[in-house]
Amino acid sequence: MTTNARCIEALGCERFDEENCSTKTSEEQIKVEESVEELFQLFSKKLTIDINAPSLYRGKHVSYLKKCLFYLPNSYECLDASRPWLCYWILHSLELLEETLDAEDRSKIALFIGRCQSPDGGFGGGPGQHPHLAPTYAAVNALCTLGTEEAFSIINRETLQKFLWSVRCANGSFQMHVGGEEDIRGVYCALSVARLTNIYCDKLFENSAKWIISCQTYEGGFAGCPGLEAHGGYAFCGLAALCLLGKEHLCDIRGLLRWVAHRQMRFEGGFQGRTNKLVDGCYSFWQGGAFPLLHKALADEDSTCVSTNWLFHQEALQEYILICCQNSLGGLLDKPGKPRDIYHTCYTLSGLSVAQHCFAGQEKIVGGLQNELARVHPLYNISQEAYINASKFFYNLPPL
Amino acid sequence: MTDSGSEDLSNEPPIIFYKHRPEWDDVTPVPQDDGPNPIVAIAYSELFQDVHDYFRAVLKSGEKSERALQLTDDALDLNPANYTVWQYRREILKHLEKDLQEELTYVRGVIERNAKNYQVWHHRRVIVEWLQDPSHELELTEAILSRDDKNYHAWEHRQWVIRTFKLYDNELEYVDRLLTEDIRNNSAWNQRYFVLNNTSNFPADIIDREILYTIAKIKKVTNNESAWNYLRGVLERSDYGICENSVVKQFCEDLYASGNRSPYLLGFMVEMCEEQIEKGAGDSFYNLEQAVRLCDSLAKEYDTVRKEYWNYIARCLTNKRNSHCNNGSSKALIEEMNSAASDGTIVTSVDE
């Protein structure tokens, strides 16, 4: 099913009201709205001659991503300790765009990721770097997205589990690496890889649910650590981790729903990361991806209340991504005026996929069916297909 | 000023690569092992490659020396996100028993250049832990926050140092200053909650004080979600929930009567109704009918981007009431409410 855009002309009343009290927050917000408004107006004109607008620049994004897969300019030096992430962002984006790589390339990528695996278990940010939970999560997701037996077999499950034990803290949280910082990303990354590769055991995550819940704030979202401000990236990690533990009902689900529903911007249509911050395309997934998880939790409570749509404005999010976050040369971005990069490409596309797909047969595709992406599995943020293949492989292996 | 003139002003010494330094002759550089088919290959500058080749060599040999420490400086200058380098730097610092006050000065410089980076703040925290000296931390975080008052890492560091070394004394004044500068700074509102949550159990007098404080701020800017969220957060800590406080109730009713339709006000009123319905109290103002009407006006007029959410809330409230009522006469009413909530036929707003 294709679906129409929001009426641009009627959006004027959604603009930010400063109430005669101009502050840094409101000034920045108004600036962003002006740049978004400009693009909305252009789109509105385009719509009169092209009923399929807004369109996804699928071919351009594919070319951009394929180029990045082999070569990145030196502005990526700051991500030299995140190379499995670079692989994952690119592979997952291509997967969502339904672009398949040839067998030879898939093999090369798997072998390269293998070089980032540490003899102590887990994966580092590059060959020879210490193992770290974030690149470990990225490496496992990237290998599962490749989906070949060769790729699956790269992962040393025994040492991976040892690595997870080495970064576990007594209170149930996880350090990102031995001697590293401790926050809610750690427990999510650990749970995600443990579940995907079938090395989960209860003892490894003893107390984790309690610790995660201590990160839920008075606003309803989750913070990186107890006491901090609710934040989209951490809220996703908190909720997804609780779901992976099967303990999402221990947190305040309704408070979380209220908080995350309020992160969608009334004018822009995209999501902000925190209250009174600016829209950013990457939160299309970090916030948008929480809705499928919440939907299930709420349906468990009372299935008669939930509908067949997610509890956010799916069309508005798609419009923000398609109208404001695409670079015409390929790649996606945070907000108008920002440069493209593969991180934002990955998370805007992931969010776009969530916004397009609710239940089977209930697709809402803004701009026509040619914009449809592959479905994501919202717990791991790999494609549904990749998840099914990985499960088949790892759950046929004996438990450790 | 001419181009050549500006070049003359720079005091940067010319770069000498490690491979050209005689004092490093004894070390064989270790190139990155990307294998025969590099993927996501970054086009490193010659400098980046040179420094990292030598860093890998030192990491491999386990050399913990002054020159190795200097090498980590150079590597971190090129990529402050390399946690392996930071970790090794800490090992060297311990081994050489370096002056950690100097290290604090060094890492402050790195933080000032890279304030949005996990590793630099973590390093700072470890050094402060080793020294057990938090005396510079409030000033440092304040300096960083003065440039970016929502920097998450700076707030995390500040909370850690305040909690660990019990430095709560002047924090509320600091928060107040930030909120005077920008009433919409949600990080500052969060910090206010953090201080009270860690220094009190929200006794009645503090709750009353915070309510007055917050209401005064909402009067200034009624569309400020941060203040509304804080108000709810504080009320949830009281023994009476959000609906029983007469000051808040009166404030909301007056604001509504004045014609204000801030979605946060309307949303707050929905929650007041919800609380009453849950208690089975449901007075003449805060009841199911009112809640459904409010949700409907939010979905259709005042907060349309959240229409799915508000319609959902209306359905939940209606269901909840259904399960509370058993007698036939109210059933008819409930059915009527149900259909109204789902197809949105109730459009009357409350002030009519």
Side-chain angles (χ1 to χ4, degrees):
Chain A
M1 190 180 101
T2 64
T3 181
N4 289 329
R6 278 196 299 174
C7 174
I8 302 295
E9 286 68 34
L11 283 179
C13 62
E14 305 294 345
R15 291 288 294 268
F16 193 84
D17 176 8
E18 266 192 319
E19 297 177 76
N20 293 318
C21 178
S22 173
T23 66
K24 203 169 128 201
T25 298
S26 63
E27 283 164 19
E28 288 175 353
Q29 175 61 26
I30 286 166
K31 259 190 227 156
V32 171
E33 288 185 9
E34 279 165 5
S35 66
V36 168
E37 160 105 65
E38 235 174 84
L39 292 174
F40 279 174
Q41 292 301 343
L42 272 175
F43 163 70
S44 185
K45 286 188 190 124
K46 201 173 175 190
L47 199 57
T48 59
I49 50 167
D50 177 8
I51 54 159
N52 282 326
S55 59
L56 175 72
Y57 309 147
R58 191 184 295 265
K60 301 265 186 211
H61 299 321
V62 167
S63 319
Y64 167 71
L65 290 160
K66 282 193 162 171
K67 200 177 149 206
C68 292
L69 186 53
F70 295 100
Y71 173 87
L72 291 162
N74 74 354
S75 60
Y76 277 83
E77 279 176 349
C78 59
L79 289 168
D80 184 50
S82 301
R83 291 178 73 202
W85 277 115
L86 302 174
C87 293
Y88 162 63
W89 294 332
I90 294 170
L91 290 175
H92 181 53
S93 299
L94 288 171
E95 172 96 352
L96 292 176
L97 292 162
E98 303 192 277
E99 178 70 19
T100 41
L101 292 167
D102 61 50
E104 200 188 323
D105 283 344
R106 281 198 273 182
S107 172
K108 284 180 190 168
I109 300 165
L111 291 173
F112 171 72
I113 295 171
R115 284 177 181 269
C116 301
Q117 189 163 217
S118 162
D120 304 326
F123 293 77
Q129 297 180 25
H130 292 332
H132 185 295
L133 274 173
T136 296
Y137 164 83
V140 169
N141 271 2
L143 291 167
C144 289
T145 302
L146 287 170
T148 58
E149 197 161 329
E150 181 188 31
F152 294 140
S153 308
I154 298 271
I155 301 166
N156 184 329
R157 294 160 70 233
E158 286 80 15
T159 57
L160 176 57
Q161 198 188 50
K162 272 190 201 135
F163 169 63
L164 295 184
W165 277 109
S166 75
V167 283
R168 181 195 141 82
C169 310
N171 65 3
S173 72
F174 283 76
Q175 291 184 315
M176 296 307 288
H177 61 97
V178 175
E181 71 276 14
E182 198 181 303
D183 61 51
I184 205 165
R185 291 172 305 153
V187 64
Y188 167 64
C189 291
L191 270 161
S192 176
V193 299
R195 286 290 194 196
L196 263 180
T197 64
N198 189 21
I199 59 166
Y200 170 90
C201 65
D202 285 338
K203 268 213 119 34
L204 187 53
F205 296 99
E206 203 178 333
N207 299 327
S208 291
K210 204 173 141 211
W211 186 82
I212 295 164
I213 285 157
S214 73
C215 295
Q216 191 167 22
T217 86
Y218 68 90
E219 290 196 276
F222 290 82
C225 290
L228 284 164
E229 184 183 1
H231 178 291
Y234 300 122
F236 176 82
C237 290
L239 175 61
L242 285 176
C243 293
L244 288 163
L245 288 166
K247 292 182 178 168
E248 62 274 25
H249 297 289
L250 295 180
C251 79
D252 173 9
I253 289 281
R254 283 288 295 270
L256 176 58
L257 170 67
R258 178 187 56 229
W259 177 80
V260 69
H262 278 84
R263 302 285 60 76
Q264 189 167 24
M265 308 302 277
R266 57 181 56 251
F267 178 72
E268 303 91 304
F271 282 93
Q272 63 188 176
R274 307 180 238 164
T275 308
N276 277 334
K277 288 270 285 175
L278 302 174
V279 69
D280 180 338
C282 73
Y283 293 115
S284 305
F285 179 77
W286 297 122
Q287 308 284 22
F291 285 91
L293 307 179
L294 282 168
H295 206 93
K296 188 185 167 293
L298 295 167
D300 290 346
E301 277 175 11
D302 183 351
S303 61
T304 62
C305 286
V306 293
S307 73
T308 53
N309 300 324
W310 304 136
L311 293 175
F312 71 99
H313 201 305
Q314 294 168 242
E315 296 90 339
L317 177 61
Q318 293 182 53
E319 279 162 22
Y320 176 69
I321 296 169
L322 293 169
I323 298 168
C324 303
C325 297
Q326 294 196 88
N327 182 310
S328 57
L329 301 173
L332 293 100
L333 38 96
D334 161 354
K335 59 174 73 61
K338 294 272 181 176
R340 61 181 173 171
D341 63 70
I342 54 178
Y343 165 80
H344 283 92
T345 302
C346 171
Y347 288 102
T348 48
L349 291 177
S350 305
L352 183 60
S353 171
V354 170
Q356 289 176 338
H357 302 109
C358 193
F359 295 98
Q362 295 289 331
E363 291 79 12
K364 287 191 174 189
I365 316 288
V366 168
L369 282 173
Q370 68 278 9
N371 286 351
E372 186 173 3
L373 298 173
R375 275 174 185 271
V376 298
H377 190 300
L379 276 176
Y380 306 98
N381 199 19
I382 58 176
S383 74
Q384 290 275 3
E385 197 189 336
Y387 169 72
I388 291 165
N389 286 334
S391 298
K392 273 186 201 152
F393 180 86
F394 289 109
Y395 283 81
N396 275 323
L397 299 176
L400 293 180
Chain B
M1 192 180 289
T2 64
D3 284 342
S4 60
S6 62
E7 268 169 36
D8 290 340
L9 281 176
S10 102
N11 291 320
E12 295 268 322
I15 295 162
I16 303 171
F17 291 121
Y18 278 83
K19 60 189 173 193
H20 298 144
R21 295 184 193 185
E23 71 271 28
W24 283 86
D25 269 354
D26 58 314
V27 174
T28 310
V30 176
Q32 176 146 284
D33 182 19
D34 268 12
N37 299 299
I39 298 298
V40 290
I42 299 167
Y44 303 115
S45 67
E46 194 182 354
L47 176 65
F48 192 99
Q49 206 166 324
D50 177 67
V51 168
H52 286 84
D53 286 352
Y54 280 81
F55 174 72
R56 278 184 285 269
V58 160
L59 184 67
K60 195 174 160 193
S61 69
E63 177 181 325
K64 293 183 181 113
S65 59
E66 282 294 339
R67 70 172 185 180
L69 187 66
Q70 184 55 45
L71 176 62
T72 63
D73 267 33
D74 288 337
L76 293 168
D77 207 28
L78 293 164
N79 179 16
N82 192 323
Y83 57 92
T84 304
V85 179
W86 282 111
Q87 190 65 29
Y88 196 64
R89 183 179 176 89
R90 286 190 284 275
E91 286 175 31
I92 300 174
L93 289 170
K94 270 209 159 153
H95 184 82
L96 298 179
E97 297 177 4
K98 294 293 290 183
D99 176 0
L100 295 177
Q101 289 293 345
E102 263 177 43
E103 187 65 5
L104 278 187
T105 311
Y106 161 77
V107 72
R108 179 177 184 134
V110 188
I111 286 175
E112 284 179 349
R113 292 189 297 278
N114 309 278
K116 286 189 173 180
N117 164 304
Y118 285 99
Q119 288 75 30
V120 295
W121 287 100
H122 179 65
H123 188 70
R124 179 90 191 178
R125 174 163 159 175
V126 174
I127 303 303
V128 171
E129 260 172 353
W130 286 354
L131 277 168
Q132 285 296 302
D133 173 12
S135 59
H136 309 291
E137 304 316 294
L138 293 182
E139 186 271 321
L140 166 71
T141 48
E142 212 170 311
I144 300 296
L145 292 170
S146 71
R147 279 177 262 162
D148 173 8
D149 54 14
K150 299 174 183 176
N151 180 311
Y152 207 84
H153 302 285
W155 280 113
E156 176 169 4
H157 187 71
R158 193 174 175 92
Q159 286 199 354
W160 169 75
V161 86
I162 288 175
R163 194 191 297 118
T164 308
F165 298 96
K166 308 263 176 305
L167 305 175
Y168 293 99
D169 282 358
N170 302 311
E171 194 62 2
L172 278 189
E173 279 124 72
Y174 176 57
V175 166
D176 197 39
R177 223 162 64 226
L178 289 181
L179 288 178
T180 308
E181 276 166 33
D182 187 346
I183 200 169
R184 301 177 177 94
N185 181 348
N186 198 58
S187 305
W189 284 101
N190 185 76
Q191 186 74 349
R192 195 170 179 91
Y193 191 92
F194 165 81
V195 171
L196 296 176
N197 192 35
N198 285 288
T199 52
S200 80
N201 269 325
F202 285 94
D205 58 325
I206 286 199
I207 287 183
D208 289 342
R209 184 191 74 192
E210 292 305 299
I211 286 170
L212 291 178
Y213 180 87
T214 311
I215 283 178
K217 300 271 188 216
I218 296 177
K219 279 181 180 162
K220 264 192 195 154
V221 182
T222 64
N223 275 315
N224 180 10
E225 186 186 350
S226 297
W228 284 103
N229 285 351
Y230 184 77
L231 181 64
R232 187 195 310 102
V234 168
L235 283 169
E236 279 174 352
R237 296 300 296 266
S238 80
D239 297 330
Y240 309 105
I242 62 169
C243 204
E244 296 294 319
N245 187 291
S246 56
V247 176
V248 174
K249 229 168 139 175
Q250 193 61 50
F251 166 69
C252 290
E253 284 162 26
D254 291 349
L255 193 58
Y256 190 89
S258 76
N260 189 294
R261 291 297 176 271
S262 160
Y264 309 111
L265 167 66
L266 304 186
F268 199 83
M269 290 167 70
V270 171
E271 285 176 44
M272 294 209 271
C273 295
E274 184 172 1
E275 198 177 279
Q276 290 296 328
I277 298 164
E278 260 168 30
K279 283 183 183 163
D283 67 15
S284 58
F285 195 74
Y286 298 100
N287 53 41
L288 177 65
E289 292 76 7
Q290 169 80 315
V292 173
R293 268 196 292 271
L294 286 165
C295 288
D296 197 57
S297 68
L298 281 159
K300 290 213 175 77
E301 189 173 358
Y302 301 112
D303 204 22
T304 55
V305 77
R306 269 168 280 285
K307 65 175 196 252
E308 291 290 342
Y309 172 75
W310 293 117
N311 289 335
Y312 168 77
I313 296 295
R315 285 194 301 273
C316 283
L317 288 172
T318 313
N319 273 13
K320 209 173 271 175
R321 231 275 288 273
N322 284 2
S323 58
H324 279 233
C325 302
N326 294 314
N327 72 58
S329 62
S330 60
K331 255 191 185 154
L333 171 70
I334 304 274
E335 266 157 30
E336 190 188 317
M337 294 306 305
N338 273 345
S339 66
S342 55
D343 66 27
T345 50
I346 294 185
V347 287
T348 351
S349 57
V350 195
D351 50 336
E352 282 168 0

